[in-house]
């Protein structure tokens, strides 16, 4: 835009400026440095800003006033008042644009400050420490890649899994996808994130170690009473002589192996659950005894539904009874009924396993905040990498209507995952850096 004000001439003018090209260019340096608080942070350096434009006096059109008349007379002699003014103003314009450098640096560093996260997340009573911070930055022709190292941890193993704790999560190190290796169905994306299964497995291990899968399936969890009639659904009349009248039944989970992530399946995320024990307890002869014990293995799927109007991501569990692998491991009172119990367990699957899943992820929601009115307008997830062990999230960025957030905004809530230390609830905030590809990997010493 061009604004002209002639203060000494009391005249009104009608005028306009023809469109003209302007080019602004500068070098941008990004580096990971140690901040004043001892944490790694991203430092931005904007080089000299150069401005070029092809605006001339002939692009300025003013009619019906004294200035316009003067310009017309000068044009007759091959001169231009407007060109003279533009020549005088060019130095001021260049200096003004050059002064934008520190401001741009500050804006970039404030935005990239969200890349440092140190906080506690609480999910169904399990408190997990989460740390994410930048490790290195690659800049080349395809774009900018920010490497993020991270860790998850819980203070101590829960009593229910302490004897099974392997001492660490499954590690499957592999090279990340190339920056320019974009799936055919995600062309022209603006921002992306690659999550290694190493990092995801560590998060699942930490939650498992904290006892997230240790559940008591009873009336408090299901909302309705459980009784020994469930045994009849699995084994017919085999237990009828032990329980001629139904008695309360309690089911305790026994998670012996941490779950692991699988990418590239029919769902956005796959979770491989193995060695999940279910122990059925009831009162018999005046004491609480283990009636039946079994172990389950199943692939569970998670689909993420992104709503571009609200920024919310819905979490949907995909788990079918037909995918269950059931093995009875304890059946002291009615040996020989193992095959019937295993075959018929699918019939009580929703009654038993449904409340467990709801107790673990029922309150989990994800929200993607906007930044200054811009945010994600589309999101596609799929397994990528040579071994398919990286999750690729490819996003479109544009103007959005949902709420923008930032840790410097007094009205914002940073408790869900910004660059501050604090405890978040079940609501997880995913931060995506526009025009950059972010890789989350497990820290090597964790």
């Amino acid at each position: 835009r061009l604004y002209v004000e002639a203060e000494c001439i009391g005249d009104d003018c009608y005028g306009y400026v023809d469109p003209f090209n302007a080019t602004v260019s500068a070098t941008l340096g990004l580096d990971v440095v140690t901040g004043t608080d001892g944490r790694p942070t991203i430092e931005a350096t904007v080089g000299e800003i150069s401005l070029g434009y092809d605006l001339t006096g002939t692009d300025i059109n003013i009619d019906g006033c004294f200035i316009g008349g003067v310009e017309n007379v000068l044009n007759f002699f091959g001169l231009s008042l407007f060109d003279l003014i533009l020549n005088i103003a060019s130095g001021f314009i260049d200096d003004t644009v050059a002064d934008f450098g520190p401001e741009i640096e500050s804006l970039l560093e404030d935005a990239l400050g969200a890349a440092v996260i140190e906080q506690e997340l609480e999910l169904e009573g399990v408190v997990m420490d989460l740390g994410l911070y930048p490790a290195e930055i690659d800049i080349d022709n395809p774009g900018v890649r920010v490497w993020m190292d991270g860790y998850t941890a819980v203070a101590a193993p829960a009593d229910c899994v302490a004897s099974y704790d392997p001492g660490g999560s499954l590690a499957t190190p592999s090279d990340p996808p190339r920056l320019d290796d974009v799936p055919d169905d995600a062309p022209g994306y603006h921002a992306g994130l690659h999550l290694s299964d190493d990092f995801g497995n560590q998060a699942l291990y930490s939650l498992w170690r904290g006892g997230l899968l240790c559940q008591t399936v009873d009336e408090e969890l299901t909302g309705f009473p459980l009784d020994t009639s469930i045994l009849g659904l699995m084994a017919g009349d085999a237990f009828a002589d032990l329980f001629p009248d139904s008695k309360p039944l309690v089911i305790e989970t026994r998670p012996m192996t941490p779950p692991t992530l699988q990418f590239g399946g029919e769902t956005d995320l796959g979770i491989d659950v193995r060695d999940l024990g279910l122990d059925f307890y009831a009162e018999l002869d005046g004491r609480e005894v283990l009636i039946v014990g079994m172990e389950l293995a199943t692939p569970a799927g998670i689909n993420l539904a992104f709503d571009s109007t609200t920024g919310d991501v819905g979490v949907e569990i995909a788990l079918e009874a037909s995918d269950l692998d059931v093995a009875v491991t304890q059946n002291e009172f009615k040996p020989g009924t193992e095959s019937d119990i295993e075959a018929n367990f699918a019939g009580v699957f929703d009654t038993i396993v449904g409340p467990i899943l709801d107790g673990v992820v029922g309150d989990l929601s994800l929200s993607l905040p906007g930044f200054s009115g811009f945010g994600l307008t589309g999101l596609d997830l799929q397994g990528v990498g040579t071994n398919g062990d990286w999750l690729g999230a490819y996003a479109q960025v544009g103007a959005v209507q949902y709420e923008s957030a930032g840790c410097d905004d007094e009205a914002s809530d940073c408790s869900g995952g910004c660059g501050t230390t604090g405890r978040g609830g079940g609501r997880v905030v995913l931060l995506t850096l526009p025009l950059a590809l972010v890789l989350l990997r497990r820290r090597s010493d964790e």
Side-chain angles (χ1 to χ4, degrees), residues 141-274:
N141 288 333
V144 179
R145 167 174 277 174
V146 180
W147 293 79
M148 301 285 291
D149 283 350
Y151 68 89
T152 63
V154 294
D159 293 340
C160 58
V161 299
S163 60
Y164 309 120
D165 190 359
S169 61
L170 177 66
T172 57
S174 65
D175 294 330
R178 298 194 316 270
L179 186 57
D180 58 351
D181 187 11
V182 182
D184 294 336
D185 53 355
Y189 75 97
H190 301 134
L193 181 146
H194 284 153
L195 172 72
S196 72
D197 64 348
D198 271 3
F199 183 81
N201 287 338
Q202 189 181 70
L204 289 179
Y205 164 76
S206 295
L207 293 172
W208 171 87
R209 188 170 185 261
L212 182 64
L213 295 183
C214 301
Q215 298 280 331
T216 298
V217 185
D218 53 14
E219 183 175 358
E220 182 179 354
L221 182 64
T222 63
F224 54 86
L226 294 178
D227 57 44
T228 52
S229 62
I230 289 179
L231 300 175
L233 297 176
M234 295 190 295
D237 296 332
F239 290 89
D241 59 331
L242 296 178
F243 303 103
D245 297 320
S246 295
K247 290 188 176 181
L249 184 74
V250 174
I251 304 172
E252 297 282 353
T253 63
R254 188 167 27 90
M256 294 175 285
T257 302
T260 55
L261 283 178
Q262 301 289 333
F263 303 139
E266 295 181 357
T267 56
D268 293 332
L269 297 174
I271 299 179
D272 190 15
V273 180
R274 297 183 180 276

Side-chain angles (χ1 to χ4, degrees), residues 52-70:
Y53 52 87
D54 58 9
L55 175 64
T56 65
T58 57
D59 298 317
I60 302 174
N61 302 275
I62 295 181
D63 294 322
C65 64
F66 176 78
I67 290 293
V70 172

Side-chain angles (χ1 to χ4, degrees), residues 125-142:
V126 177
V127 178
M128 181 180 72
D129 293 325
L130 170 66
L132 293 173
Y133 47 86
E136 57 184 286
I137 297 176
D138 293 337
I139 303 177
D140 55 25
N141 288 333

